[in-house]
């Protein structure tokens, strides 16, 4: 395939762009000694501070069972920033002066009273106006108990409108199945209004994911083709070359279907398939996403193997290096039946997408690390070129590359210089890095900033969580019937198991090749 990139003149509409001013606030992070806080949250908060997007009056309290103090917490964060080559050590020092730490056994009322006293002290010191974000970066198993302990200590309450405001951020996984997600929502809503709840899915903060809506609804040439009359099928791939790493304790109880499909993959699907909202506002946006999730056709029990495939990686090679199979990874049971790969074929029962299949696949230890949405258009119905049959033309494919090398790419057919009927497939590409010449805001930066500013658009609403869990839970109930007789069933460094190929090949199609 010949690839070409046409020069693009970038005309930013700066006069249309504005960011809402942030209120003073305090941020309390539970699980502050954990990996998520140090890899994602603190670097993101520092980047917001460095870009002057945090309010001038703010403080951050880290809380965890680990016995640290303010100095240890600050030194740890300074070490992280230094390791990430973040610029300007002077700004590092000013940033960590806003950081505090309280060791807390969350079941201990005295520890929560101490935390509450510190919050009151810092609210006065920083003039934070008692606006508060509680960030739950703990194990999801802690959420229910911790939210109830905070409520009984008088530290959280329902605040529907006005100030001071109080927001609570919950990391995935939000529940383990439909029943647990509903129960967690029920407990949270005893103490917080839905307008205060921010269920985070970091995929929604990625610049390329946000651009799907801008691409569809800010241009006139694509939306008229965005339907069953022109689109043959859609493929969504999220592949990793990494194995389970240090997450075996969580992952072996979850598996790929819970870990990736109920959240990330379903979010990408609904962004592609949703109808245009009347306004670019949170409620209308979430309403349209929910309609798509509710329209996904249930899979009949006698058709399960035609729509669902599972896999588990064995040993193989990644980047030329030999790697162990899943069952040989640290802390993984030697006879584990947990899937590290899943593929689904989904159909959406509405006028726009009737009979258009959506193929989703995601797995660990695959050939190439990539997250991409590929819109495969229908082939030309008839060839006017007598020596070329219509099936000799490659269908047009529009690809949204989420990561790495973020961008948008369109393949099309054109004449190759030479004989009259010489044809070539060309690829027009827009690479974010090459075109915009700017480093995009990271997903956690975007989502943390939106949470401070009270914008719930890029978070996940209660009803969507329950609808997506309802669909996945039905598959999980039949999981044993779907497991192959032999695990592992794909080699590390491959593109997954053969039963995943059968799902798409039975329809006369093939997985996107990278």
């Amino acid at each position: 395939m010949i690839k070409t990139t046409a020069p693009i003149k970038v005309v930013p509409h700066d006069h249309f762009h504005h960011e809402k001013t942030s209120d003073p606030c305090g941020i309390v992070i539970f699980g502050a000694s954990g990996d998520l806080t140090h890899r994602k949250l603190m670097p993101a908060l520092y980047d917001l501070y460095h870009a002057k997007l945090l309010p001038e009056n703010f403080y951050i309290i880290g809380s965890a069972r680990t016995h640290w103090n303010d100095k240890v917490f600050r030194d740890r964060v300074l070490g992280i920033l230094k390791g990430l080559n973040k610029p300007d050590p002077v700004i590092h020092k000013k940033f960590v002066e806003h950081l505090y730490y309280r060791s807390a056994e969350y079941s201990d009322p005295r520890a929560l009273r101490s935390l509450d006293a510190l919050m009151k002290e810092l609210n006065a010191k920083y003039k934070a106006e008692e606006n508060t974000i509680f960030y739950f970066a703990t194990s999801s198993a802690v959420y229910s108990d911790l939210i109830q302990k905070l409520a009984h200590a008088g530290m959280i309450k329902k605040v529907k409108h006005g100030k001071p405001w109080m927001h609570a951020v919950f990391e995935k996984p939000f529940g383990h199945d439909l029943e647990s997600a509903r129960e967690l929502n029920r407990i949270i809503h005893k103490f917080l209004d839905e307008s205060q709840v921010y269920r985070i899915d970091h995929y929604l903060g990625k610049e390329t994911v946000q651009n799907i809506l801008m691409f569809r609804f800010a241009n006139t040439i694509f939306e008229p083709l965005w339907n069953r009359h022109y689109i043959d099928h859609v493929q969504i791939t999220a592949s990793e070359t990494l194995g389970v790493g240090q997450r075996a304790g969580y992952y072996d109880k979850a598996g790929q279907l819970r870990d990736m499909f109920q959240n990330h993959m379903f979010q990408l699907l609904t962004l592609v398939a949703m109808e245009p909202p009347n306004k670019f506002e949170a409620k209308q946006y979430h309403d349209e996403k929910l309609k798509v999730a509710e329209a996904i056709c249930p899979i009949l029990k006698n058709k399960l193997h035609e729509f669902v495939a599972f896999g588990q990686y064995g040993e193989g090679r990644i980047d030329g290096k030999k790697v162990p199979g899943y069952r040989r990874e640290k802390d993984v049971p030697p006879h584990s039946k947990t899937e590290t790969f899943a593929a689904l074929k989904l159909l959406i029962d509405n006028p726009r997408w009737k009979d258009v299949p959506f193929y989703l696949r995601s797995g660990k230890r695959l050939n190439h690390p990539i997250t991409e949405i590929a819109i495969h258009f229908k082939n030309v119905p008839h060839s006017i070129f007598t020596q070329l049959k219509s099936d000799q033309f490659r269908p047009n494919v529009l690809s949204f590359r989420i990561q790495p090398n973020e961008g948008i790419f369109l393949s099309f057919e054109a004449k190759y210089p030479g004989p009259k009927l010489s044809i070539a497939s060309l690829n027009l590409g827009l690479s974010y890095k090459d075109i915009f010449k700017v480093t995009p805001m990271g997903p956690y930066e975007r989502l943390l900033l939106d949470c401070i500013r009270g914008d719930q658009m890029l978070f996940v609403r209660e009803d969507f969580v329950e609808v997506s869990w309802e669909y996945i839970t039905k598959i999980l109930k039949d999981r044993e019937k779907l497991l192959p007789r032999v695990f592992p069933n794909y080699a590390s460094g491959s593109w997954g198991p053969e039963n995943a190929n059968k799902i798409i090949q039975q329809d006369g199609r093939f997985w996107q090749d990278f």
Side-chain angles (χ1 to χ4, degrees):
M1 179 182 287
I2 297 173
K3 295 183 180 181
T4 180
T5 302
I8 298 176
K9 183 180 181 181
V10 179
V11 185
H13 303 324
D14 287 334
H15 53 293
F16 292 130
H17 174 77
H18 59 91
E19 291 278 11
K20 181 181 173 184
T21 303
S22 299
D23 294 329
C25 68
I27 302 170
V28 181
I29 302 174
F30 297 108
S33 62
D35 183 61
L36 174 68
T37 300
H38 291 264
R39 280 194 309 112
K40 300 294 185 182
L41 302 185
M42 298 314 302
L45 287 165
Y46 170 77
D47 285 343
L48 291 175
Y49 177 76
H50 188 266
K52 299 183 178 178
L53 290 171
L54 280 184
E56 291 184 9
N57 301 329
F58 79 97
Y59 65 86
I60 300 170
I61 300 175
S63 180
R65 294 186 178 97
T66 307
H67 292 286
W68 291 350
N69 55 29
D70 294 352
K71 184 178 185 305
V72 173
F73 187 45
R74 292 174 180 182
D75 287 346
R76 292 262 178 165
V77 173
L78 283 172
I80 292 163
L81 298 177
K82 184 178 179 181
L84 293 172
N85 296 316
K86 299 290 184 183
D88 205 332
V90 174
I91 297 180
H92 290 181
K93 186 174 184 298
K94 289 181 179 178
F95 173 69
V96 300
E97 286 172 355
H98 292 258
L99 269 56
Y100 301 84
Y101 187 85
R102 280 295 180 271
S103 175
E105 195 65 48
Y106 301 135
S107 60
D108 183 357
R110 291 173 301 175
L112 293 182
R113 284 197 295 270
S114 174
L115 177 61
D116 190 32
L118 178 61
M119 290 173 63
K120 288 182 170 67
E121 177 188 330
L122 296 180
N123 268 310
K125 177 178 179 178
Y126 288 98
K127 297 181 174 59
E129 300 178 3
E130 297 184 15
N131 297 319
T132 308
I133 292 173
F134 289 108
Y135 199 114
F136 294 81
T138 64
S139 162
S140 59
V142 176
Y143 292 170
S144 294
D145 188 53
L146 180 53
I147 199 90
Q148 292 178 87
K149 292 289 193 299
L150 290 169
H152 293 152
M155 297 172 68
I156 64 168
K157 61 183 178 180
K158 288 188 178 183
V159 183
K160 289 190 178 181
H161 304 290
K163 294 181 181 179
W165 48 256
M166 185 176 292
H167 300 159
V169 185
F170 296 92
E171 277 282 343
K172 82 168 187 76
F174 192 89
H176 190 70
D177 54 16
L178 176 60
E179 183 180 348
S180 59
R182 281 178 173 165
E183 177 63 10
L184 183 53
N185 276 328
R186 186 190 66 80
I187 291 170
I188 288 172
H189 287 145
K190 285 176 64 177
F191 310 110
L192 294 169
D193 187 75
E194 177 66 15
S195 64
Q196 297 173 267
V197 180
Y198 291 72
R199 299 173 193 83
I200 198 166
D201 183 334
H202 74 272
Y203 265 46
L204 294 177
K206 291 179 180 291
E207 194 70 40
T208 39
V209 172
Q210 296 172 59
N211 198 37
I212 294 170
L213 294 189
M214 190 70 71
F215 183 89
R216 285 186 59 187
F217 302 132
N219 299 290
T220 60
I221 63 173
F222 300 108
E223 193 60 20
L225 308 179
W226 215 262
N227 56 62
R228 63 191 299 266
H229 302 296
Y230 297 96
I231 292 176
D232 179 73
H233 71 281
V234 177
Q235 294 186 28
I236 303 177
T237 297
S239 72
E240 296 180 87
T241 55
L242 297 174
V244 70
Q246 303 300 314
R247 300 174 68 220
Y250 156 74
Y251 189 88
D252 197 66
K253 294 181 178 65
Q256 196 71 359
L257 199 63
R258 285 187 173 97
D259 192 47
M260 286 293 294
F261 282 76
Q262 181 272 328
N263 39 71
H264 304 327
M265 302 296 277
F266 269 38
Q267 292 292 341
L268 296 180
L269 181 150
T270 54
L271 285 173
V272 171
M274 66 186 282
E275 297 295 325
N278 292 330
K279 292 182 180 179
F280 191 61
E281 294 177 355
K283 183 183 183 305
Q284 289 87 341
Y285 167 78
H286 288 300
D287 287 348
E288 296 302 334
K289 287 176 63 182
L290 181 66
K291 289 176 187 176
V292 174
E294 290 177 331
I296 300 174
C297 298
I299 302 172
L300 300 176
K301 287 188 179 292
N302 63 343
K303 298 282 187 180
L304 281 168
H305 287 280
E306 297 176 25
F307 285 78
V308 186
F310 289 138
Q312 186 188 92
Y313 67 81
E315 65 178 26
R317 291 189 172 274
I318 299 287
D319 297 328
K321 296 181 180 178
K322 189 174 180 179
V323 295
Y326 176 73
R327 294 178 176 185
R328 302 294 299 276
E329 300 275 21
K330 183 182 177 183
D331 298 328
V332 173
H335 302 291
S336 172
K337 292 185 178 181
T338 298
E339 81 281 357
T340 62
F341 177 100
L344 299 183
K345 172 186 172 181
L346 301 178
L347 296 169
I348 299 172
D349 190 15
N350 65 20
R352 185 186 287 262
W353 298 110
K354 182 73 172 176
D355 298 326
V356 176
F358 285 69
Y359 301 100
L360 284 61
R361 61 173 171 171
S362 178
K364 295 186 175 297
R365 287 288 191 220
L366 297 180
N367 182 273
H368 190 63
I370 192 167
T371 302
E372 183 167 296
I373 301 167
I375 315 296
H376 289 249
F377 290 89
K378 292 186 175 182
N379 211 337
V380 292
H382 171 72
S383 173
I384 67 168
F385 309 103
T386 55
Q387 294 175 325
L388 294 173
K389 296 180 180 179
S390 60
D391 60 6
Q392 291 181 265
F393 302 115
R394 290 191 181 183
N396 305 124
V397 179
L398 177 64
S399 300
F400 295 91
R401 181 75 54 82
I402 309 301
Q403 61 185 20
N405 305 320
E406 296 88 341
I408 301 171
F409 306 92
L410 175 65
S411 70
F412 63 97
E413 302 294 82
K415 184 183 181 303
Y416 187 80
K420 260 188 181 181
L421 294 178
S422 183
I423 192 169
S425 295
L426 304 182
N427 199 3
L428 286 178
L430 184 157
S431 166
Y432 273 40
K433 181 177 66 175
D434 295 339
I435 296 298
F436 294 117
K437 308 292 184 186
V438 295
T439 301
M441 184 180 287
Y444 273 95
E445 295 164 59
R446 175 75 269 166
L447 295 170
L448 283 164
L449 187 60
D450 282 358
C451 181
I452 294 170
R453 293 172 175 179
D455 185 349
Q456 289 182 303
M457 179 173 283
L458 299 180
F459 293 83
V460 185
R461 201 167 67 182
E462 170 194 14
D463 45 13
F464 188 97
V465 168
E466 295 190 4
V467 168
S468 59
W469 263 128
E470 183 176 16
Y471 197 92
I472 293 299
T473 300
K474 286 178 181 176
I475 298 174
L476 289 169
K477 286 180 177 177
D478 290 307
R479 184 177 172 277
E480 290 296 322
K481 301 175 187 175
L482 293 164
L483 292 177
R485 282 181 290 179
V486 178
F487 257 176
N489 63 346
Y490 71 95
S492 292
S494 69
W495 274 114
E498 183 55 36
N499 57 341
N501 294 330
K502 290 177 182 176
I503 284 179
I504 192 168
Q505 288 172 2
Q506 69 190 357
D507 298 332
R509 302 180 178 101
F510 298 92
W511 290 112
Q512 181 96 344
D513 187 25
F514 298 106

